[in-house]
Amino acid sequence: MKVSKFSVRNLELYYNHFKALKGIHIEIPPNKICAFIGPSGCGKSTFLKCLNRMNDLVEGCRITGKIFLDKEDIYGNIDVNLLRRRVGMVFQKPNPFPMSIYDNIAFGPRTHGVHARAKLDDIVERSLRAAAIWDELGGRLKKSALSLSGGQQQRLCIARALAVQPEVLLMDEPTSALDPISTSCIEELTIKLRKDYTILIVTHNMQQAQRIADKTAFFFMGELIEFDDTNIIFSNPHDRRTRDYIRGEFG
């Protein structure tokens, strides 16, 4: 029996009268890295934000259709705060809070009622280790997170997302503001995290999708054109628009 982490059925999203997503159907498997590619404005980031209801914060946004997380309708009777705990997010630009490294990681657990120092210490260390940055930051936990390099800040943001033990990690172009070395670190980290998390990543970098993604979805003008194993998308896509985009004929 095929198992899906997310099951999306006939999803449509409107910004007032503009239809930004059109009839999206997709089954996203657990413990895989799925890349979303396509030209700017095609709907891939908009779709990503539907998966933890970030679009709820956008005025004039209206959604129809269904999204199921482990068979639970996330637009039904669900606690949105609990949903966002289960489905964490890392943004394009690193956004550490203006506080210490320690307090950045402890922020989410404290919000969810964890206040014992020993338990927070354990969460901070575990999260930083999971984000492969404990060796760099373990002795600097009282330092401001804003003092870190861009690559370190982004790994800190990943650690902060992991601190509440999510099931899914959404990543919206997480390396677009980083140098090649930091990008490589994030990619290696993402591959390691796959065994414990379902990871969905929006990227403009098609080489990045080829390097790290198990499956790739191509979006175009608000439609999901095709979704398949990454090697098939890049070597033998079924739709001419996918082939033309990958060849660089537009986008």
Side-chain angles (χ1 to χ4, degrees), residues 1-249:
M1 182 178 171
K2 188 176 179 182
V3 177
S4 296
K5 190 65 179 174
F6 279 107
S7 181
V8 180
R9 301 173 189 171
N10 198 32
L11 178 71
E12 301 199 324
L13 181 144
Y14 300 80
Y15 293 124
N16 295 314
H17 298 296
F18 173 69
K19 186 188 285 190
L21 293 176
K22 306 169 185 174
I24 306 293
H25 289 269
I26 190 170
E27 301 288 335
I28 296 173
N31 295 100
K32 299 290 185 184
I33 301 172
C34 298
F36 300 160
I37 64 171
S40 295
C42 67
K44 54 190 186 294
S45 289
T46 297
F47 174 69
L48 189 78
K49 292 171 185 175
C50 290
L51 300 176
N52 70 345
R53 293 184 53 172
M54 289 293 289
N55 288 314
D56 286 12
L57 307 174
V58 179
E59 188 175 351
C61 180
R62 178 169 59 88
I63 291 172
T64 63
K66 297 286 187 181
I67 301 178
F68 296 94
L69 172 62
D70 292 334
K71 299 183 180 180
E72 183 175 7
D73 182 358
I74 71 167
Y75 283 88
N77 184 24
I78 190 171
D79 183 331
V80 176
N81 291 322
L82 177 58
L83 171 67
R84 292 180 186 148
R85 180 178 180 178
R86 295 175 66 190
V87 184
M89 190 155 193
V90 177
F91 295 91
Q92 180 175 0
K93 185 178 178 182
N95 61 339
F97 301 144
M99 55 181 68
S100 71
I101 293 166
Y102 184 100
D103 287 336
N104 263 266
I105 305 301
F107 184 88
R110 284 173 175 151
T111 300
H112 292 287
V114 179
H115 298 290
R117 181 71 186 207
K119 191 161 187 178
L120 288 172
D121 288 350
D122 180 64
I123 291 170
V124 168
E125 179 173 350
R126 185 184 69 235
S127 302
L128 290 171
R129 286 191 184 279
I133 199 170
W134 172 257
D135 291 344
E136 295 171 52
L137 303 185
R140 303 165 55 190
L141 298 179
K142 294 182 180 179
K143 298 285 186 182
S144 170
L146 302 181
S147 68
L148 303 178
S149 70
Q152 288 175 323
Q153 287 186 5
Q154 193 64 306
R155 281 185 285 158
L156 176 70
C157 291
I158 292 172
R160 189 176 67 198
L162 298 180
V164 295
Q165 297 184 296
E167 302 161 31
V168 180
L169 198 58
L170 309 179
M171 307 178 86
D172 192 2
E173 296 192 62
T175 63
S176 64
L178 304 180
D179 61 86
I181 293 175
S182 296
T183 294
S184 180
C185 288
I186 298 292
E187 289 180 1
E188 290 175 12
L189 170 60
T190 303
I191 292 169
K192 290 177 183 176
L193 291 173
R194 171 179 52 193
K195 64 181 173 58
D196 296 314
Y197 305 93
T198 301
I199 299 174
L200 310 180
I201 180 169
V202 168
T203 179
H204 274 110
N205 185 331
M206 287 187 283
Q207 289 73 33
Q208 181 174 74
Q210 288 180 280
R211 285 192 296 265
I212 71 171
D214 301 293
K215 301 182 81 70
T216 296
F218 172 60
F219 286 80
F220 181 62
M221 296 183 70
E223 296 182 51
L224 173 60
I225 304 302
E226 60 182 299
F227 178 58
D228 211 327
D229 292 344
T230 296
N231 64 325
I232 293 175
I233 292 291
F234 284 94
S235 64
N236 189 29
H238 301 298
D239 193 283
R240 177 182 53 80
R241 291 167 292 182
T242 311
R243 184 175 64 249
D244 290 348
Y245 178 73
I246 287 169
R247 288 177 176 175
E249 295 183 16

